[in-house]
Amino acid sequence: MFSHRLRKLHQQRLNRIIRDRSSAQASRMFIEGREFINFASNDYLGLASHPEVVKAAKDSMEEFGFGSGASRLMGGGSVLHRRLEDAAARFKRTEAALLLNSGYAANTGILPAIVGEGDVLFSDELNHASIIDGCRLSRAETLVYRHRDVEHLSQLMEGQRGRRMIVATDTVFSMDGDIAPLKEIHRLCLAVNSSLPPEDSVLLYLDDAHGTGVLGNGKGALEHFGIEPEPWIIQMGTFSKAFGSYGAFVTGSKDAIEWIVNTARSFIFSTVIPASAAAAAAKAVEIVMNRPDLLRRLWENRTFLFDALKERGYDTGESETPIIPLKMESVEDALALSRHLQERGIYAPAIRPPTVKVPRVRITVTAAHSQEDVHTLLNSLGEVRR
Ligand SMILES: *Cc1c(COP(=O)(O)O)cnc(C)c1O
């Protein structure tokens, strides 16, 4: 049944394999008995195995056990979940926040909750798969605008007056590491909204999965651009990347959050994350807010590596963040480079179609990498003739 389909996938060299760690998620990790320097993780600040984060999870289990046992509306939540939401609302400076079970669950639950049939959704062509799936589930008409092209977005918005409109974008694009032009998108939405009654405002939906804990002193993309939160801006972020835990959140006005509580199916019909994950995330938020040196370190590492890669002539696309793609001519080249790095003890998988159009080795550098780690990467890359 599947063997035929699989054969084709293998022939195209597009089959994926799972390789599991036998050690913690960290800048150094073991796979199949071998140590690797990890350049694939989204654990930007090295918090996934930070002792205080681990302790917060452990301590919470003493009191709250492990499983949460039910969805949030059925008593699955605890004061630790609530506290995490309060922390999210505080650091995003919004009225309210709600915990979702993952970034994927957030996008596929919230978008269909806030727009539907007859509405129109504008989506950047490189948005994350979970936004694309959220668009599909919403049944709103989805108009895809060219990547980061606000002019194109503006053209598409023309002629859609009278319908409920929403613009959805990643803040940091997960495979390219570039940043959405939020100043321009914000200005465009403001201009359109100035001629609309507040209840018909264009909504702006931001997926800040890779901006949270990374941009704007850790507070995310809006802070990075100096844009004030407003009732028509809905921000989603995750605790699974820079915050080193699990789960996601959405922030916005009290009303927006109450609406989502009442309508988002991935919130209503799914068991809430364990209290220990919430406790770990809350500790991570606290660490990020109190330890500017971690972010400084992340960005120092990023700048150093990026400049060195540029100097060596790599095509890093438009990367502006710790996500740095090394774009390759072919799937073969991307696989060969990834394999070469692996032989040198460096873990950086090739990313291939259909995830991306242009094959690449995707590098993510974190605050936990030492200078030596970065040099090892650069030296290993230097051995490859291109
Ligand atoms: C990782 C990611 C998600 C999904 O978040 P999870 O918590 O891993 O489910 C959503 N959007 C973007 C842009 C992401 O990079």
Side-chain angles (χ1 to χ4, degrees):
M1 263 247 292
F2 293 104
S3 63
H4 181 73
R5 295 192 225 174
L6 279 170
R7 206 172 312 125
K8 207 165 132 199
L9 206 60
H10 282 260
Q11 272 163 6
Q12 294 169 309
R13 310 209 61 186
L14 295 179
N15 60 303
R16 302 157 189 237
I17 47 166
I18 297 172
R19 302 187 69 205
D20 287 325
R21 280 178 282 113
S22 54
S23 62
Q25 172 64 267
S27 60
R28 301 277 177 138
M29 62 176 179
F30 282 86
I31 294 176
E32 289 149 19
R34 204 169 153 204
E35 187 177 36
F36 288 93
I37 309 174
N38 183 1
F39 281 103
S41 141
N42 304 311
D43 179 26
Y44 294 112
L45 301 171
L47 296 179
S49 36
H50 190 287
E52 286 181 49
V53 172
V54 174
K55 182 172 185 302
K58 268 191 195 160
D59 290 351
S60 75
M61 280 190 275
E62 297 295 332
E63 199 175 343
F64 290 91
F66 182 70
S68 64
S71 70
R72 194 74 181 283
L73 296 174
M74 297 298 238
S78 69
V79 291
L80 299 183
H81 296 82
R82 181 74 248 161
R83 231 173 269 160
L84 180 57
E85 288 170 341
D86 293 344
R90 217 172 316 120
F91 87 79
K92 287 286 188 182
R93 293 185 299 117
T94 54
E95 277 180 11
L98 181 71
L99 193 52
L100 282 303
N101 288 348
S102 70
Y104 190 89
N107 287 338
T108 52
I110 296 166
L111 288 169
I114 58 181
V115 284
E117 205 144 8
D119 300 337
V120 54
L121 205 160
F122 304 93
S123 177
D124 186 289
E125 66 176 327
L126 292 192
N127 274 344
H128 192 261
S130 54
I131 293 190
I132 297 172
D133 293 354
C135 293
R136 289 178 183 156
L137 282 170
S138 77
R139 300 196 190 144
E141 182 182 357
T142 300
L143 302 179
V144 175
Y145 60 92
R146 287 189 292 270
H147 182 47
R148 300 201 303 172
D149 189 340
V150 183
E151 189 58 41
H152 190 211
L153 169 61
S154 166
Q155 284 164 14
L156 291 178
M157 285 172 94
E158 295 276 333
Q160 299 295 341
R161 299 294 170 99
R163 298 170 81 184
R164 179 180 286 130
M165 297 191 267
I166 181 169
V167 179
T169 182
D170 287 13
T171 58
V172 174
F173 291 89
S174 54
M175 292 297 141
D176 289 74
D178 52 350
I179 302 176
L182 291 187
K183 267 234 174 325
E184 291 75 15
I185 292 175
H186 181 254
R187 200 180 302 132
L188 174 63
C189 292
L190 270 182
V192 177
N193 284 344
S194 67
S195 62
L196 293 171
E199 64 271 22
D200 296 333
S201 288
V202 176
L203 294 170
L204 178 58
Y205 183 83
L206 301 177
D207 177 340
D208 212 11
H210 291 280
T212 307
V214 172
L215 296 179
N217 297 319
K219 293 176 178 174
L222 275 198
E223 183 85 12
H224 172 79
F225 284 105
I227 300 171
E228 287 299 309
E230 307 208 39
W232 50 272
I233 303 178
I234 293 172
Q235 300 179 71
M236 164 273 186
T238 66
F239 295 116
S240 51
K241 288 172 176 153
F243 287 141
S245 177
Y246 192 74
F249 62 90
V250 57
T251 62
S253 68
K254 264 202 170 74
D255 286 351
I257 298 307
E258 188 181 349
W259 181 255
I260 292 166
V261 165
N262 281 279
T263 54
R265 294 167 66 83
S266 67
F267 171 78
I268 299 169
F269 297 105
S270 187
T271 301
V272 67
I273 59 170
S276 56
K283 178 54 77 174
V285 172
E286 190 188 311
I287 293 173
V288 173
M289 296 308 144
N290 295 323
R291 289 276 311 272
D293 56 302
L294 282 178
L295 265 131
R296 213 176 305 126
R297 179 87 219 222
L298 168 67
W299 282 95
E300 277 167 13
N301 278 347
R302 188 270 166 195
T303 303
F304 178 79
L305 176 60
F306 182 78
D307 291 349
L309 290 168
K310 272 282 185 224
E311 206 175 291
R312 287 160 172 75
Y314 278 95
D315 178 3
T316 52
E318 302 290 313
S319 166
E320 305 169 72
T321 63
I323 301 169
I324 308 176
L326 306 178
K327 295 193 177 180
M328 298 283 133
E329 303 254 315
S330 65
V331 168
E332 290 298 329
D333 286 357
L335 286 171
L337 181 60
S338 175
R339 207 176 318 116
H340 168 83
L341 292 175
Q342 217 172 92
E343 282 158 12
R344 299 290 179 283
I346 292 167
Y347 186 77
I351 315 279
R352 294 164 281 172
T355 303
V356 292
K357 274 202 197 106
V358 180
R360 68 200 59 191
V361 170
R362 175 181 180 269
I363 305 284
T364 49
V365 64
T366 75
H369 287 121
S370 64
Q371 275 190 348
E372 194 197 331
D373 293 338
V374 176
H375 281 294
T376 305
L377 171 63
L378 289 169
N379 292 339
S380 305
L381 286 169
E383 294 165 5
V384 183
R385 219 188 48 207
R386 278 174 298 123

PDB file of all heavy atoms in Angstrom, residues 148 170-173 177-182 215 221 224-225 299 318 320-321:
ATOM      1  N   ARG A 148       6.822  39.187   2.417  1.00  0.00           N
ATOM      2  CA  ARG A 148       7.192  40.493   2.993  1.00  0.00           C
ATOM      3  C   ARG A 148       6.867  41.668   2.062  1.00  0.00           C
ATOM      4  O   ARG A 148       7.447  42.747   2.212  1.00  0.00           O
ATOM      5  CB  ARG A 148       8.696  40.526   3.353  1.00  0.00           C
ATOM      6  CG  ARG A 148       9.086  39.480   4.372  1.00  0.00           C
ATOM      7  CD  ARG A 148      10.375  39.836   5.075  1.00  0.00           C
ATOM      8  NE  ARG A 148      11.491  40.024   4.177  1.00  0.00           N
ATOM      9  CZ  ARG A 148      12.668  40.496   4.560  1.00  0.00           C
ATOM     10  NH1 ARG A 148      12.873  40.831   5.812  1.00  0.00           N
ATOM     11  NH2 ARG A 148      13.639  40.630   3.686  1.00  0.00           N
ATOM     12  N   ASP A 170       4.000  35.414  10.207  1.00  0.00           N
ATOM     13  CA  ASP A 170       5.081  35.101  11.135  1.00  0.00           C
ATOM     14  C   ASP A 170       5.802  36.421  11.403  1.00  0.00           C
ATOM     15  O   ASP A 170       5.898  37.256  10.502  1.00  0.00           O
ATOM     16  CB  ASP A 170       6.123  34.171  10.491  1.00  0.00           C
ATOM     17  CG  ASP A 170       5.651  32.728  10.309  1.00  0.00           C
ATOM     18  OD1 ASP A 170       4.447  32.462  10.436  1.00  0.00           O
ATOM     19  OD2 ASP A 170       6.524  31.879  10.020  1.00  0.00           O
ATOM     20  N   THR A 171       6.342  36.607  12.591  1.00  0.00           N
ATOM     21  CA  THR A 171       7.169  37.800  12.811  1.00  0.00           C
ATOM     22  C   THR A 171       8.591  37.508  12.343  1.00  0.00           C
ATOM     23  O   THR A 171       9.199  38.288  11.629  1.00  0.00           O
ATOM     24  CB  THR A 171       7.188  38.172  14.305  1.00  0.00           C
ATOM     25  OG1 THR A 171       7.678  37.050  15.043  1.00  0.00           O
ATOM     26  CG2 THR A 171       5.806  38.553  14.782  1.00  0.00           C
ATOM     27  N   VAL A 172       9.100  36.338  12.723  1.00  0.00           N
ATOM     28  CA  VAL A 172      10.386  35.838  12.217  1.00  0.00           C
ATOM     29  C   VAL A 172      10.061  34.583  11.423  1.00  0.00           C
ATOM     30  O   VAL A 172       9.392  33.686  11.932  1.00  0.00           O
ATOM     31  CB  VAL A 172      11.349  35.490  13.372  1.00  0.00           C
ATOM     32  CG1 VAL A 172      12.621  34.829  12.831  1.00  0.00           C
ATOM     33  CG2 VAL A 172      11.690  36.731  14.186  1.00  0.00           C
ATOM     34  N   PHE A 173      10.505  34.530  10.180  1.00  0.00           N
ATOM     35  CA  PHE A 173      10.174  33.387   9.331  1.00  0.00           C
ATOM     36  C   PHE A 173      11.107  32.227   9.662  1.00  0.00           C
ATOM     37  O   PHE A 173      12.329  32.388   9.685  1.00  0.00           O
ATOM     38  CB  PHE A 173      10.209  33.804   7.859  1.00  0.00           C
ATOM     39  CG  PHE A 173       9.082  34.745   7.549  1.00  0.00           C
ATOM     40  CD1 PHE A 173       9.241  36.117   7.704  1.00  0.00           C
ATOM     41  CD2 PHE A 173       7.843  34.258   7.164  1.00  0.00           C
ATOM     42  CE1 PHE A 173       8.194  36.991   7.469  1.00  0.00           C
ATOM     43  CE2 PHE A 173       6.789  35.125   6.930  1.00  0.00           C
ATOM     44  CZ  PHE A 173       6.957  36.494   7.077  1.00  0.00           C
ATOM     45  N   GLY A 177      14.729  33.038   8.578  1.00  0.00           N
ATOM     46  CA  GLY A 177      15.281  33.891   9.620  1.00  0.00           C
ATOM     47  C   GLY A 177      15.176  35.373   9.334  1.00  0.00           C
ATOM     48  O   GLY A 177      15.863  36.180   9.960  1.00  0.00           O
ATOM     49  N   ASP A 178      14.324  35.740   8.377  1.00  0.00           N
ATOM     50  CA  ASP A 178      14.106  37.173   8.149  1.00  0.00           C
ATOM     51  C   ASP A 178      12.886  37.634   8.949  1.00  0.00           C
ATOM     52  O   ASP A 178      12.137  36.820   9.491  1.00  0.00           O
ATOM     53  CB  ASP A 178      13.973  37.488   6.651  1.00  0.00           C
ATOM     54  CG  ASP A 178      12.932  36.608   5.964  1.00  0.00           C
ATOM     55  OD1 ASP A 178      12.452  35.635   6.582  1.00  0.00           O
ATOM     56  OD2 ASP A 178      12.597  36.907   4.809  1.00  0.00           O
ATOM     57  N   ILE A 179      12.727  38.949   9.046  1.00  0.00           N
ATOM     58  CA  ILE A 179      11.697  39.523   9.918  1.00  0.00           C
ATOM     59  C   ILE A 179      10.625  40.196   9.072  1.00  0.00           C
ATOM     60  O   ILE A 179      10.945  40.908   8.106  1.00  0.00           O
ATOM     61  CB  ILE A 179      12.333  40.539  10.902  1.00  0.00           C
ATOM     62  CG1 ILE A 179      13.427  39.858  11.743  1.00  0.00           C
ATOM     63  CG2 ILE A 179      11.276  41.155  11.812  1.00  0.00           C
ATOM     64  CD1 ILE A 179      14.173  40.809  12.687  1.00  0.00           C
ATOM     65  N   ALA A 180       9.363  40.002   9.450  1.00  0.00           N
ATOM     66  CA  ALA A 180       8.259  40.639   8.723  1.00  0.00           C
ATOM     67  C   ALA A 180       8.357  42.158   8.868  1.00  0.00           C
ATOM     68  O   ALA A 180       8.743  42.650   9.926  1.00  0.00           O
ATOM     69  CB  ALA A 180       6.929  40.139   9.272  1.00  0.00           C
ATOM     70  N   PRO A 181       8.006  42.896   7.818  1.00  0.00           N
ATOM     71  CA  PRO A 181       8.044  44.370   7.880  1.00  0.00           C
ATOM     72  C   PRO A 181       6.857  44.899   8.668  1.00  0.00           C
ATOM     73  O   PRO A 181       5.919  45.472   8.110  1.00  0.00           O
ATOM     74  CB  PRO A 181       7.978  44.785   6.403  1.00  0.00           C
ATOM     75  CG  PRO A 181       7.240  43.673   5.735  1.00  0.00           C
ATOM     76  CD  PRO A 181       7.551  42.414   6.497  1.00  0.00           C
ATOM     77  N   LEU A 182       6.905  44.716   9.973  1.00  0.00           N
ATOM     78  CA  LEU A 182       5.727  45.001  10.792  1.00  0.00           C
ATOM     79  C   LEU A 182       5.384  46.487  10.862  1.00  0.00           C
ATOM     80  O   LEU A 182       4.224  46.852  10.984  1.00  0.00           O
ATOM     81  CB  LEU A 182       5.914  44.449  12.211  1.00  0.00           C
ATOM     82  CG  LEU A 182       5.920  42.934  12.324  1.00  0.00           C
ATOM     83  CD1 LEU A 182       5.944  42.512  13.781  1.00  0.00           C
ATOM     84  CD2 LEU A 182       4.718  42.317  11.623  1.00  0.00           C
ATOM     85  N   LEU A 215      13.646  38.673  20.081  1.00  0.00           N
ATOM     86  CA  LEU A 215      13.593  40.074  19.652  1.00  0.00           C
ATOM     87  C   LEU A 215      13.095  40.953  20.799  1.00  0.00           C
ATOM     88  O   LEU A 215      12.458  40.462  21.739  1.00  0.00           O
ATOM     89  CB  LEU A 215      12.641  40.231  18.459  1.00  0.00           C
ATOM     90  CG  LEU A 215      13.002  39.524  17.152  1.00  0.00           C
ATOM     91  CD1 LEU A 215      11.910  39.786  16.103  1.00  0.00           C
ATOM     92  CD2 LEU A 215      14.355  40.001  16.626  1.00  0.00           C
ATOM     93  N   ALA A 221       8.386  40.714  18.798  1.00  0.00           N
ATOM     94  CA  ALA A 221       8.515  41.550  17.607  1.00  0.00           C
ATOM     95  C   ALA A 221       7.905  42.943  17.777  1.00  0.00           C
ATOM     96  O   ALA A 221       8.472  43.924  17.294  1.00  0.00           O
ATOM     97  CB  ALA A 221       7.885  40.846  16.410  1.00  0.00           C
ATOM     98  N   HIS A 224      10.269  45.018  19.542  1.00  0.00           N
ATOM     99  CA  HIS A 224      11.405  45.245  18.645  1.00  0.00           C
ATOM    100  C   HIS A 224      11.141  46.445  17.732  1.00  0.00           C
ATOM    101  O   HIS A 224      12.025  47.252  17.475  1.00  0.00           O
ATOM    102  CB  HIS A 224      11.633  43.980  17.815  1.00  0.00           C
ATOM    103  CG  HIS A 224      12.638  44.099  16.717  1.00  0.00           C
ATOM    104  ND1 HIS A 224      13.993  44.038  16.949  1.00  0.00           N
ATOM    105  CD2 HIS A 224      12.493  44.275  15.385  1.00  0.00           C
ATOM    106  CE1 HIS A 224      14.632  44.165  15.799  1.00  0.00           C
ATOM    107  NE2 HIS A 224      13.759  44.313  14.838  1.00  0.00           N
ATOM    108  N   PHE A 225       9.900  46.555  17.252  1.00  0.00           N
ATOM    109  CA  PHE A 225       9.561  47.647  16.337  1.00  0.00           C
ATOM    110  C   PHE A 225       8.984  48.858  17.066  1.00  0.00           C
ATOM    111  O   PHE A 225       8.636  49.857  16.433  1.00  0.00           O
ATOM    112  CB  PHE A 225       8.549  47.176  15.288  1.00  0.00           C
ATOM    113  CG  PHE A 225       9.168  46.319  14.213  1.00  0.00           C
ATOM    114  CD1 PHE A 225       8.975  44.945  14.202  1.00  0.00           C
ATOM    115  CD2 PHE A 225       9.930  46.893  13.208  1.00  0.00           C
ATOM    116  CE1 PHE A 225       9.536  44.160  13.201  1.00  0.00           C
ATOM    117  CE2 PHE A 225      10.499  46.113  12.200  1.00  0.00           C
ATOM    118  CZ  PHE A 225      10.303  44.743  12.199  1.00  0.00           C
ATOM    119  N   TRP A 299      22.878  37.212  20.660  1.00  0.00           N
ATOM    120  CA  TRP A 299      23.066  38.101  19.513  1.00  0.00           C
ATOM    121  C   TRP A 299      24.544  38.265  19.167  1.00  0.00           C
ATOM    122  O   TRP A 299      24.885  38.440  17.988  1.00  0.00           O
ATOM    123  CB  TRP A 299      22.357  39.440  19.746  1.00  0.00           C
ATOM    124  CG  TRP A 299      20.881  39.246  19.499  1.00  0.00           C
ATOM    125  CD1 TRP A 299      19.924  38.971  20.429  1.00  0.00           C
ATOM    126  CD2 TRP A 299      20.228  39.218  18.230  1.00  0.00           C
ATOM    127  NE1 TRP A 299      18.709  38.782  19.818  1.00  0.00           N
ATOM    128  CE2 TRP A 299      18.856  38.934  18.467  1.00  0.00           C
ATOM    129  CE3 TRP A 299      20.650  39.423  16.914  1.00  0.00           C
ATOM    130  CZ2 TRP A 299      17.917  38.842  17.434  1.00  0.00           C
ATOM    131  CZ3 TRP A 299      19.710  39.328  15.885  1.00  0.00           C
ATOM    132  CH2 TRP A 299      18.369  39.042  16.152  1.00  0.00           C
ATOM    133  N   GLU A 318      18.031  36.360   3.404  1.00  0.00           N
ATOM    134  CA  GLU A 318      17.774  37.647   4.058  1.00  0.00           C
ATOM    135  C   GLU A 318      17.816  37.520   5.571  1.00  0.00           C
ATOM    136  O   GLU A 318      17.216  38.328   6.283  1.00  0.00           O
ATOM    137  CB  GLU A 318      16.395  38.170   3.637  1.00  0.00           C
ATOM    138  CG  GLU A 318      16.189  38.359   2.148  1.00  0.00           C
ATOM    139  CD  GLU A 318      17.005  39.521   1.614  1.00  0.00           C
ATOM    140  OE1 GLU A 318      16.983  40.596   2.241  1.00  0.00           O
ATOM    141  OE2 GLU A 318      17.688  39.341   0.595  1.00  0.00           O
ATOM    142  N   GLU A 320      18.090  37.707   9.393  1.00  0.00           N
ATOM    143  CA  GLU A 320      18.377  38.831  10.307  1.00  0.00           C
ATOM    144  C   GLU A 320      18.386  38.357  11.755  1.00  0.00           C
ATOM    145  O   GLU A 320      18.382  39.165  12.677  1.00  0.00           O
ATOM    146  CB  GLU A 320      17.275  39.904  10.202  1.00  0.00           C
ATOM    147  CG  GLU A 320      17.013  40.434   8.819  1.00  0.00           C
ATOM    148  CD  GLU A 320      15.735  41.278   8.787  1.00  0.00           C
ATOM    149  OE1 GLU A 320      15.754  42.398   9.320  1.00  0.00           O
ATOM    150  OE2 GLU A 320      14.731  40.804   8.235  1.00  0.00           O
ATOM    151  N   THR A 321      18.298  37.074  11.947  1.00  0.00           N
ATOM    152  CA  THR A 321      18.089  36.513  13.290  1.00  0.00           C
ATOM    153  C   THR A 321      19.017  35.308  13.488  1.00  0.00           C
ATOM    154  O   THR A 321      19.791  34.970  12.591  1.00  0.00           O
ATOM    155  CB  THR A 321      16.626  36.038  13.431  1.00  0.00           C
ATOM    156  OG1 THR A 321      16.418  34.980  12.489  1.00  0.00           O
ATOM    157  CG2 THR A 321      15.633  37.154  13.181  1.00  0.00           C
TER     158      THR A 321
END
